[in-house]
Amino acid sequence: MAHGFAADPAVDREHMAALAAFTGRSMRTQSPRPFGAAIVDTKSGKVLLRALNAVRQEFDPSAHAEVRAIRLATKRLKQTSLSGYTLYTTCEPCPMCMSAVLWAGVDRVVYGATIEDANRHCNQIQIPAAEVAARSDMTCIVDGPLLRDECYALFTHPRMLKAFRFWQTRKRK
């Protein structure tokens, strides 16, 4: 396996469940968000940080949870490489996020809900993360979906369904 490590399914489930719970807390706020990401030390399993999508809050279409987590992690570590880290995300990374993952040198991505799941509620570029990784000359393992139902429940939470109506990412026909 790349980077000389083996994934531990129990550890992956623990990290994804914690990330889904962290992201789920946003459902109690005025700005519910189903997209959350965590950067975790691949060997120790220590969580470096978690982040939520902030596109609407920052008026920044690139402020996806994965990109924000990468930005915050590299800033905290004062380095551009996240080699030695795994990214957990409540939804399969879009091509922009997966490209950022590759550029940052992340060892592995573990995702919950799929791009197809997200596309039921908001616009997505429907190119699987594994395909983006496969087309790159950079290495990153892509695993998922994991705890898909728990992560997809973030998208179907009543407060999130109401919020999606205001996101207006769908073109009216």
Side-chain angles (χ1 to χ4, degrees), residues 80-99:
T80 57
S81 174
L82 291 177
S83 177
Y85 289 88
T86 296
L87 182 134
Y88 291 85
T89 179
T90 58
C91 188
E92 182 177 5
C94 73
M96 175 184 71
C97 292
M98 193 61 212
S99 295

Side-chain angles (χ1 to χ4, degrees), residues 1-5 40-43 81-87 98 101-102 104-110 139-143:
M1 190 171 264
H3 300 283
F5 64 86
V40 176
D41 185 288
T42 299
K43 287 184 180 153
S81 174
L82 291 177
S83 177
Y85 289 88
T86 296
L87 182 134
M98 193 61 212
V101 163
L102 291 165
V106 172
D107 293 342
R108 188 167 156 254
V109 169
V110 181
T139 303
C140 181
I141 297 164
V142 179
D143 286 330

Side-chain angles (χ1 to χ4, degrees), residues 35 52-68 71 94-98 100 122-125 167-169:
F35 300 100
L52 295 174
N53 173 299
V55 169
R56 294 177 58 79
Q57 293 73 19
E58 296 178 4
F59 304 100
D60 178 355
S62 71
H64 291 198
E66 299 92 334
V67 170
R68 289 188 72 238
R71 288 175 180 161
C94 73
M96 175 184 71
C97 292
M98 193 61 212
C122 55
N123 286 341
Q124 294 294 311
I125 299 171
W167 282 23
Q168 299 176 0
T169 61

Side-chain angles (χ1 to χ4, degrees), residues 116-135:
E116 291 84 11
D117 294 333
N119 193 59
R120 291 185 191 116
H121 305 282
C122 55
N123 286 341
Q124 294 294 311
I125 299 171
Q126 296 182 62
I127 302 171
E131 183 177 336
V132 175
R135 289 174 161 224

